Structures are given as C-alpha cells and as structure tokens.
Amino acid sequence: MRKLSMDDLNRDSVEEFKNKKKIPLVLVLDNVRSLNNVGSVFRTADAFMAGKVYLCGITGTPPHRDIEKTALGATESVEWEHVPDTLELVKKLQADGYKVCSVEQAENSTMLNDFRPEPGQQYAFVLGNEVFGVEQEVVSLSDVVLEIPQFGTKHSLNISVATGVVVWDFLSKTLAQQQA
C-alpha cells in the first residue's frame, strides 16, 4: 500500500470549495480563547464541508498567525463571521430555522450516540470556552444539548477534538440517512 501524495488527492481549489453545496451545519464558537483551537475548527469545517463558522465574543478572528498555523489556509475556504454576542446569534439562528445544539455536559443532555439528525433540518452546533464551556444562558436556550460519551477520568475533551467528533457524527448519520 502506497501513501497518497498531494497530487493524488486531487483537492478542490478554494473557489471550487466555496461553490460546492455544504452540509446543513454551522459551527458557533462561544468565547473560545485558544487561537490554535480556532484554527483547528476551521480545518474541521473545511474537511467536512460545514456551512459556516461563527466566532463569538472573545473568540479570535483571522487573520492571525496562531489561527493560520493550525487552519492551514482553511480560513480562506470556510465562510466565517464574528458576532459579539453568542446568545443573540442563537436567537437569530433559531428564527432562521436552525436547530441549535450546545455541546456540553448538562442535566437531561442527549448522548451523541443517541442523537438522530432530522432530514432536511439545519443545525448549529455551539462549542464553548476551554474552561467554562458553553454559557449557561446559551445552554438554556438550546433546542438540544449534546453530550459526547466519555469513559476516562477527565470527562473533558479539547474543543477542537469535540468539534471533530460531533461534526463527523452528524455527517456520518446524515449520509447514512441519505443512503437508506
């Protein structure tokens, strides 16, 4: 077995990527402190064709070398917007027909493995601050609170890892529904 080269991968150009249909999912970063985490979320959004990334509150924005270090150019391909207030954005997204899902450990949360995306529904996944998580007001307003099952001693994941887990889960379930 031979590893594939960059030429073998036949990647889309930034313009080709921008013109492709995206999955019905946007990512909302709620006061994320680490610029490296922000860059990693951009790469995940690019890899799985997320519709947009919203950078809320104190979340850093491109251009910044620490974001670019991990984004590897994904800030150019993925649509993004800075919004000062996460709660106001959540209200707007809900008014626009999005189902808002906070990724958090909370009472009566839905375990990610039990989550079933509704066909045709647009989703917004909110991921929170590295120390404090998603703001309580945002959790309270969310349509669903998704919890990633964890079995170790730490019971926390880095936000960039959590983003990859939930977006892949969403995409794989959505693709399975389309094939059924």
Side-chain angles (χ1 to χ4, degrees):
M1 190 175 306
R2 178 183 68 83
K3 285 177 45 175
L4 298 176
S5 70
M6 292 307 269
D7 288 339
D8 293 331
L9 294 174
N10 195 28
R11 299 286 188 200
D12 290 337
S13 70
V14 169
E15 284 309 309
E16 290 169 327
F17 178 89
K18 285 182 176 183
N19 291 321
K20 281 190 167 181
K21 184 179 178 186
K22 307 298 185 285
I23 64 173
L25 171 77
V26 297
L27 298 169
V28 178
L29 302 188
D30 180 25
N31 293 299
V32 173
R33 297 179 314 164
S34 167
L35 299 176
N36 292 315
N37 284 338
V38 174
S40 292
V41 169
F42 270 98
R43 267 177 69 189
T44 299
D46 177 278
F48 298 124
M49 303 277 299
K52 188 171 186 175
V53 175
Y54 289 96
L55 307 169
C56 299
I58 66 165
T59 305
T61 61
H64 192 284
R65 66 180 166 81
D66 288 339
I67 293 173
E68 295 304 326
K69 181 169 59 174
T70 50
L72 296 179
T75 57
E76 300 302 317
S77 57
V78 174
E79 184 180 350
W80 65 272
E81 178 181 346
H82 180 263
V83 178
D85 187 280
T86 309
L87 192 59
E88 291 304 313
L89 173 64
V90 165
K91 291 175 184 176
K92 179 186 181 313
L93 289 169
Q94 288 171 324
D96 290 345
Y98 283 83
K99 187 165 277 195
V100 174
C101 304
S102 286
V103 179
E104 189 58 83
Q105 296 166 329
E107 294 175 335
N108 302 313
S109 61
T110 299
M111 288 297 168
L112 187 61
N113 50 303
D114 294 328
F115 173 65
R116 299 290 173 257
E118 298 170 32
Q121 174 66 54
Q122 295 184 97
Y123 287 87
F125 284 10
V126 182
L127 295 114
N129 178 281
E130 294 86 347
V131 175
F132 304 110
V134 178
E135 293 177 38
Q136 180 60 57
E137 295 82 9
V138 173
V139 170
S140 297
L141 192 61
S142 296
D143 299 298
V144 178
V145 177
L146 295 175
E147 184 172 339
I148 300 170
Q150 298 172 56
F151 308 101
T153 61
K154 298 302 176 204
H155 293 281
S156 75
L157 292 170
N158 178 281
I159 178 184
S160 65
V161 173
T163 302
V165 169
V166 297
V167 175
W168 172 248
D169 180 79
F170 176 85
L171 179 59
S172 64
K173 288 174 180 173
T174 301
L175 292 173
Q177 288 171 346
Q178 292 172 358
Q179 294 172 356

